[in-house]
Amino acid sequence: MEVEDGRSSNLGDSTGALASRRPRTVWTAGQRDALLTAFARDPYPSFRVRQDLAREMGLPESRIRVWFQNRRNRTREVPRQGAQGSAGGPSGLASLQRPREPGARARGGRSSPEEGRTRPRTRLSPAQLMILIQAFGVEPEPEYDARVKLAQETALPEDTVHIWFQNRRSRHPVCGRGRVPGQDSLASHPPTPLPQPSPAPNGEPSGRPCNPREMSLPAAAQPSSGPYHEGDPESHPVSNNYTVDDVELTLDQLLMKLQADQQAQDTLDPHVPLEDIIPTLELPLDPQEYWTFLLDLF
DNA sequence: GCGTAATCTAATCAACA
DNA sequence: TGTTGATTAGATTACGC
């Protein structure tokens, strides 16, 4: 599994400043020609085609996907003045209509299932999930550099990390955070610290979930008032006979173990089953039960 | 200053347990 | 059937030339 670093030779380095955004890709004339040719052939290339293009150009597949997204948007744009045809939609769209199945939706719709059409679905391991959830609790909107670090820690492509955060934000909104309209959220937050094993008692992550069900791991033990206990003051302890303190403690241990392993190996192997790690911890509760609880929690 | 890469949200599909 | 990774449209921001 490759980790996209997005720093190909033809990428500009933005002055050495903190990379809140991925350095802007500068296409060569040859690359642009190849992209335009591919776009003329199919504005909705499959994952396989995008991957082939990426390989030819020595760039991450995600750059190819974004180029096609932007290209479609620009091609679709119609003049604001004098535009008409409200009944049939923008006329400029005609050539861009993706072949759709009957009943396919306007958004998120896809053509019929086809081998290699989409990227193979990623199955995140418990260790990878733990790292991501922990990071999300600290910073739900990680900047580019932080995403690259997380990608290295989890051995996932940066793009997959990015998508995971997007999905997570949309499905697990956090209180007290929100994008200010007209403001680039990427530039509006300080550099993202990587997750720490033990948040200070009062140093809870700002990204507190709004949903009581959402117990981002490090924020699990929060007995104080607030949306967490809305209508269910006994909702935590979370499960069985465990208290949140038990969970917090063991999660801390688990994270420290993972980080120690990572330091020892330079990179964390996300494929190491969590069962192999948990028994080595000094747990205040039964490892097997804890493992079951973790699976339930995730 | 313009063109466009990068990023966001929202909606949706679809694989899988 | 619910969860969640992947994809899309559309809008916006900010960087390279």
Side-chain angles (χ1 to χ4, degrees), chain A residues 78-108:
Chain A
V78 295
R80 300 196 185 282
Q81 290 191 338
Q84 52 181 345
S86 57
S91 56
L93 281 172
S95 64
L96 253 189
Q97 287 301 318
R98 181 175 181 172
R100 298 189 190 284
E101 297 295 292
R105 316 289 178 81
R107 285 187 174 187

Side-chain angles (χ1 to χ4, degrees), chain A residues 220-226 228-229 233 236 244-245:
Chain A
Q222 294 297 336
S224 58
S225 62
Y228 261 11
H229 298 270
H236 313 303
V244 286
D245 289 340

Side-chain angles (χ1 to χ4, degrees), chain A residues 239-258:
Chain A
S239 160
N240 301 334
N241 298 320
Y242 308 149
T243 68
V244 286
D245 289 340
D246 289 337
V247 174
E248 182 90 349
L249 179 58
T250 48
L251 283 172
D252 283 352
Q253 288 190 41
L254 190 52
L255 281 165
M256 283 188 285
K257 173 72 176 173
L258 288 169

Side-chain angles (χ1 to χ4, degrees), chain A residues 133-197:
Chain A
I133 292 174
Q134 165 86 352
F136 185 87
V138 175
E139 173 55 74
E141 300 174 4
E143 295 179 339
Y144 176 68
D145 268 357
R147 294 199 307 269
V148 168
K149 283 177 183 159
L150 283 169
Q152 289 169 347
E153 287 183 32
T154 56
L156 291 167
E158 183 274 331
D159 184 48
T160 298
V161 172
H162 197 174
I163 291 169
W164 185 89
F165 271 86
Q166 286 185 1
N167 283 323
R168 183 85 185 173
R169 281 198 300 269
S170 100
R171 288 161 184 154
H172 307 82
V174 292
C175 289
R177 296 192 79 110
R179 196 180 178 194
V180 179
Q183 186 178 17
D184 190 337
S185 62
L186 292 171
S188 62
H189 298 304
T192 304
L194 281 177
Q196 298 300 315

Side-chain angles (χ1 to χ4, degrees), chain A residues 19-267:
Chain A
S20 63
R21 282 188 167 214
R22 173 193 290 270
R24 191 183 170 99
T25 302
V26 180
W27 303 99
T28 66
Q31 288 172 333
R32 201 179 299 272
D33 284 348
L35 288 167
L36 286 170
T37 302
F39 187 84
R41 206 162 38 227
D42 181 8
Y44 295 85
S46 66
F47 173 72
R48 195 164 288 172
V49 169
R50 296 197 307 266
Q51 212 172 26
D52 287 345
L53 285 167
R55 201 171 296 127
E56 286 173 19
M57 299 176 189
L59 288 167
E61 178 272 334
S62 63
R63 296 311 87 209
I64 307 298
R65 175 161 39 79
V66 167
W67 185 89
F68 273 87
Q69 286 175 356
N70 285 323
R71 185 73 191 175
R72 284 196 299 267
N73 281 340
R74 285 193 298 276
T75 307
R76 193 178 296 109
E77 281 174 4
V78 295
R80 300 196 185 282
Q81 290 191 338
Q84 52 181 345
S86 57
S91 56
L93 281 172
S95 64
L96 253 189
Q97 287 301 318
R98 181 175 181 172
R100 298 189 190 284
E101 297 295 292
R105 316 289 178 81
R107 285 187 174 187
R110 295 192 201 144
S111 53
S112 57
E114 169 194 335
E115 193 69 22
R117 169 95 225 153
T118 62
R119 177 205 295 250
R121 190 181 172 92
T122 303
R123 299 297 304 168
L124 298 178
S125 71
Q128 289 170 323
L129 263 180
M130 173 158 286
I131 292 168
L132 292 174
I133 292 174
Q134 165 86 352
F136 185 87
V138 175
E139 173 55 74
E141 300 174 4
E143 295 179 339
Y144 176 68
D145 268 357
R147 294 199 307 269
V148 168
K149 283 177 183 159
L150 283 169
Q152 289 169 347
E153 287 183 32
T154 56
L156 291 167
E158 183 274 331
D159 184 48
T160 298
V161 172
H162 197 174
I163 291 169
W164 185 89
F165 271 86
Q166 286 185 1
N167 283 323
R168 183 85 185 173
R169 281 198 300 269
S170 100
R171 288 161 184 154
H172 307 82
V174 292
C175 289
R177 296 192 79 110
R179 196 180 178 194
V180 179
Q183 186 178 17
D184 190 337
S185 62
L186 292 171
S188 62
H189 298 304
T192 304
L194 281 177
Q196 298 300 315
S198 291
N202 290 331
E204 71 174 30
S206 56
R208 167 179 292 286
C210 290
N211 184 340
R213 278 193 66 233
E214 278 317 308
M215 280 205 346
S216 290
L217 297 178
Q222 294 297 336
S224 58
S225 62
Y228 261 11
H229 298 270
E230 192 175 281
D232 186 10
E234 297 299 317
S235 58
H236 313 303
V238 242
S239 160
N240 301 334
N241 298 320
Y242 308 149
T243 68
V244 286
D245 289 340
D246 289 337
V247 174
E248 182 90 349
L249 179 58
T250 48
L251 283 172
D252 283 352
Q253 288 190 41
L254 190 52
L255 281 165
M256 283 188 285
K257 173 72 176 173
L258 288 169
Q259 288 176 349
D261 286 353
Q262 180 190 354
Q263 284 173 359
Q265 300 172 15
D266 201 22
T267 54

